[in-house]
Amino acid sequence: MAEIKLMKGNEAVAEAAIRAGCDAYFGYPITPQSEVIEYLMMERPEDRTGMVVLQAESEIAAIHMVYGAAAAGKMAMTSSSSPGISLKEEGISYMAGSELPAVIVNVVRGGPGLGTIQPSQADYFQTTKGGGHGDYRLLVLAPASVQESADFVADAFRLAFKYRNPVMILSDGVIGQMMEKVIMPEQTPRLTDQEIIEKYGDWATTGKPDDKERNIITSLELDPYKQELHNIKLQAKYTQMQEEEVRYEMINCEDADYILVAYGSSARISQKAMDLARAKGIKVGIFRLITLFPFPSEQLNDLAGRVKGFLAVEMSAGQMIEDVKLAIEGKTKAVHFGRYGGVIHSPEEILEALEQKLIGG
Amino acid sequence: MTEELIIAGFGGQGVLSMGKILAYSGIMQDQEVSWMPSYGPEMRGGTANVTVIISDDRISSPILTQFDTAVILNQQSMDKFEETVKPGGVLLYDPNGILKHPTRKDINIFKVEGAKIAAEMGNAKIFNMIVLGAYLKAKPIVKLENVIEGLKKSLPERYHKLIPLNEEAIKRGMNELVEIS
């Protein structure tokens, strides 16, 4: 039987990266994410799998090192927290434009600006609606436990290479800092250049072969008509993500009158609020987003036809609520509740918001 | 069984590691656990606290505002957490440095002279294990043998020679628990 460990979410991400066969990690420390790079430095994965771990001189350098490694067809990742992710956005946009796979972890803290080091979910807009410039999307996975923090790393790499697009794991200060039981996946060997080509196609810049032209990785195309064609191709990938990659979890939704919509740590806290509500006889269910993009619009729309309302619970002033409202097309009521700026809402506050803003409002 | 616990004191008292050892002990007896620390600039010299949940069932929120038990190791934490103990719950504290003692009548209050006993035993670092012992006497949620297993898991191997000392401290703490009300 696999060994059960007690780990922080951040440590689980780091160990899972080694085990996913990641080739290279480039990062820069920032609270509440620093355990990712600390763990990797302590663990010395170069001795275990040959994986490169490097502390760059800045977040910007780190993301462009990821760009370079990804352009060579390697499984590369970086991690940071909100202000550091803002610095990386230029590189992320370039990778989306250049169609490069990469895994980026954001352990979100309160903002804007340097903000606070306490947990937050206020980077939802940045993560799902751009962040960098141009018409692009990230595929976004939001873990709600230490186990998912581990499991989503290999998933993220698989999806990144499937779509040749950056994938973001959107964690937060709670999920990153808390310890829970975790069972680590088995070690996957790192892929050779040849195995990458066989598995994901011959697109990387691994040298000019004799029998064909060299591959070029770039996000630059000065001819607007060609750039439009490139954009259409990118959009087709995002449409395919919407068709194939939507992930969510429904808890007690079958008989529910009211649904708490949440992701990450808010989904965990909402579960306690759900228990408190059910103890009072209010039939509450949870709709937990696992992918933030693609957004489970159809599933929420289906639910909207048979419930009395949605409470979008997020540690922000109201970001995910916009996508919830778009999804349910006004079929029923949807209101937002959340503490923000680094403050974590309690289960009791969520219950109070449910009773006053949704049921009584 | 679900135990929702907060351990609060100064940074450096071993608050976080006491929580970690408890969480590991829970794992050793196949329970679900979560360990959520306060983190940030407050950790050095200031207050530190950790929420530990040990349960037979899946744990929902790792963040709580009310607790079955509060283990309180300094005055700031007493001011903050006495009121967060659920009615009928347990408050365990070390009176060393406490000026305003707990006053609630609807909870069970215990004390342990952790700092004093650690000084007697000649090792300030075992303070948190004395407190852990007292806690386990008041709330026997995990078996001592599983705590020892938990210690083995949470301590690097080079410190395993210290396990007998830690076990002694836990047992001493168990014997020194005083029920106040």
Side-chain angles (χ1 to χ4, degrees):
Chain A
M1 204 189 98
E3 194 194 359
I4 298 172
K5 293 185 174 222
L6 182 70
M7 284 180 128
K8 287 190 172 193
N10 287 338
E11 295 167 341
V13 163
E15 176 62 30
I18 302 170
R19 293 184 184 222
C22 176
D23 294 302
Y25 170 92
F26 306 103
Y28 190 81
I30 180 171
T31 306
Q33 165 279 160
S34 295
E35 291 85 359
V36 179
I37 189 166
E38 283 170 8
Y39 184 94
L40 287 170
M41 288 287 177
M42 296 276 280
E43 196 55 34
R44 298 182 61 82
E46 62 269 34
D47 297 337
R48 281 171 58 182
T49 66
M51 173 184 171
V52 171
V53 179
L54 193 141
Q55 180 177 328
E57 66 269 37
S58 71
E59 287 89 347
I60 299 170
I63 192 73
H64 289 98
M65 289 174 186
V66 170
Y67 184 111
K74 297 296 179 191
M75 287 168 64
M77 76 180 279
T78 185
S79 62
S80 192
S81 178
S82 309
I85 295 292
S86 292
L87 291 168
K88 291 181 195 286
E89 289 294 353
E90 179 195 19
I92 294 170
S93 168
Y94 275 56
M95 272 193 283
S98 302
E99 295 193 86
L100 289 176
V103 174
I104 301 145
V105 183
N106 183 3
V107 186
V108 181
R109 66 189 234 180
L114 270 181
T116 171
I117 61 175
Q118 298 303 322
S120 167
Q121 295 179 313
D123 295 357
Y124 180 91
F125 283 157
Q126 183 196 51
T127 310
T128 61
K129 312 215 179 278
H133 58 279
D135 260 334
Y136 78 94
R137 296 283 193 168
L138 299 178
L139 204 154
V140 185
L141 298 169
S145 63
V146 174
Q147 186 65 53
E148 283 189 342
S149 299
D151 293 343
F152 286 0
V153 175
D155 281 354
F157 272 117
R158 180 181 57 77
L159 292 164
F161 275 81
K162 177 179 175 183
Y163 291 99
R164 281 182 61 190
N165 198 70
V167 173
M168 186 167 279
I169 296 176
L170 194 73
S171 181
D172 61 60
V174 175
I175 303 295
Q177 291 295 324
M178 77 170 166
M179 286 199 202
E180 288 185 311
K181 272 159 79 162
V182 57
I183 297 172
M184 277 291 154
E186 295 295 316
Q187 179 68 50
T188 307
R190 288 173 53 226
L191 298 177
T192 62
D193 288 351
Q194 195 53 41
E195 285 167 338
I196 291 263
I197 290 170
E198 283 162 16
K199 213 169 165 183
Y200 297 113
D202 183 12
W203 52 264
T205 50
T206 50
K208 185 192 174 307
D210 295 333
D211 55 347
K212 66 186 267 295
E213 273 304 306
R214 67 197 195 282
N215 290 331
I216 295 173
I217 301 283
T218 179
S219 64
L220 176 70
E221 177 49 69
L222 290 176
D223 178 343
Y225 295 98
K226 285 186 183 165
Q227 183 62 279
E228 186 186 38
L229 283 176
H230 178 59
N231 267 267
I232 289 168
K233 183 185 167 200
L234 296 180
Q235 291 301 320
K237 292 200 298 192
Y238 308 143
T239 304
Q240 190 190 346
M241 288 177 195
Q242 272 163 333
E243 286 163 357
E244 296 179 17
E245 311 301 346
V246 170
R247 289 169 69 176
Y248 58 93
E249 181 187 14
M250 291 204 277
I251 306 168
N252 290 341
C253 288
E254 304 77 21
D255 69 338
D257 291 326
Y258 301 97
I259 303 289
L260 305 177
V261 188
Y263 66 93
S265 55
S266 279
R268 294 288 296 273
I269 301 164
S270 293
Q271 281 175 48
K272 184 99 180 173
M274 174 183 75
D275 294 342
L276 296 173
R278 284 199 170 251
K280 291 179 83 172
I282 309 167
K283 287 181 182 167
V284 172
I286 305 265
F287 190 98
R288 176 168 78 92
L289 308 177
I290 298 174
T291 53
L292 306 187
F293 182 87
F295 192 83
S297 303
E298 279 177 32
Q299 292 77 9
L300 276 170
N301 191 288
D302 285 348
L303 262 182
R306 57 189 171 89
V307 300
K308 293 178 185 164
F310 293 93
L311 185 71
V313 183
E314 45 179 334
M315 290 189 287
S316 76
Q319 301 191 11
M320 176 192 67
I321 179 71
E322 293 190 2
D323 284 335
V324 173
K325 283 184 172 172
L326 281 172
I328 64 174
E329 298 177 307
K331 282 185 183 173
T332 186
K333 205 167 143 183
V335 292
H336 161 265
F337 173 70
R339 301 291 300 269
Y340 43 96
V343 178
I344 306 167
H345 30 242
S346 67
E348 291 81 6
E349 286 174 324
I350 296 171
L351 176 62
E352 191 186 316
L354 175 76
E355 290 180 308
Q356 292 181 3
K357 293 178 81 172
L358 188 61
I359 300 173
Chain B
M1 192 287 294
T2 297
E3 167 77 348
E4 297 175 337
L5 165 75
I6 184 142
I7 311 167
F10 286 118
Q13 280 180 316
V15 164
L16 300 185
S17 63
M18 176 181 161
K20 194 173 161 186
I21 290 159
L22 255 179
Y24 258 121
S25 312
I27 290 179
M28 292 303 133
Q29 44 193 47
D30 284 333
Q31 285 168 309
E32 299 299 322
V33 300
S34 82
W35 177 97
M36 180 69 211
S38 63
Y39 66 88
E42 64 196 19
M43 283 178 85
R44 290 212 177 91
T47 57
N49 68 70
V50 62
T51 300
V52 177
I53 307 173
I54 299 179
S55 179
D56 296 331
D57 304 312
R58 178 176 168 176
I59 293 166
S60 54
S61 175
I63 306 285
L64 301 168
T65 50
Q66 289 205 298
F67 304 92
D68 298 312
T69 305
V71 175
I72 293 176
L73 304 174
N74 66 7
Q75 185 64 52
Q76 290 97 315
S77 302
M78 185 68 82
D79 297 343
K80 196 170 170 187
F81 295 112
E82 181 184 357
E83 64 184 51
T84 65
V85 180
K86 295 175 194 170
V90 166
L91 188 158
L92 167 66
Y93 75 109
D94 182 338
N96 179 43
I98 299 287
L99 299 171
K100 286 182 279 175
H101 291 259
T103 55
R104 278 180 60 181
K105 301 292 173 213
D106 60 339
I107 56 175
N108 300 308
I109 299 172
F110 297 89
K111 70 172 181 178
V112 63
E113 294 277 0
K116 212 166 130 189
I117 298 163
E120 274 172 36
M121 291 177 76
N123 190 338
K125 286 182 184 166
I126 55 169
F127 166 73
N128 63 344
M129 292 298 98
I130 295 164
V131 176
L132 176 61
Y135 164 70
L136 290 174
K137 180 77 177 177
K139 276 265 174 136
I141 54 158
V142 287
K143 291 185 188 139
L144 181 60
E145 66 210 57
N146 290 323
V147 178
I148 303 305
E149 287 302 307
L151 263 171
K152 282 183 193 160
K153 282 274 180 185
S154 57
L155 286 177
E157 215 147 283
R158 63 182 184 279
Y159 294 128
H160 280 195
K161 60 179 188 290
L162 298 173
I163 286 174
L165 175 66
N166 281 279
E167 187 172 354
E168 193 193 330
I170 293 168
K171 285 179 175 161
R172 183 78 191 270
M174 286 177 160
N175 291 331
E176 301 275 356
L177 179 75
V178 178
E179 184 164 1
I180 295 178
S181 64

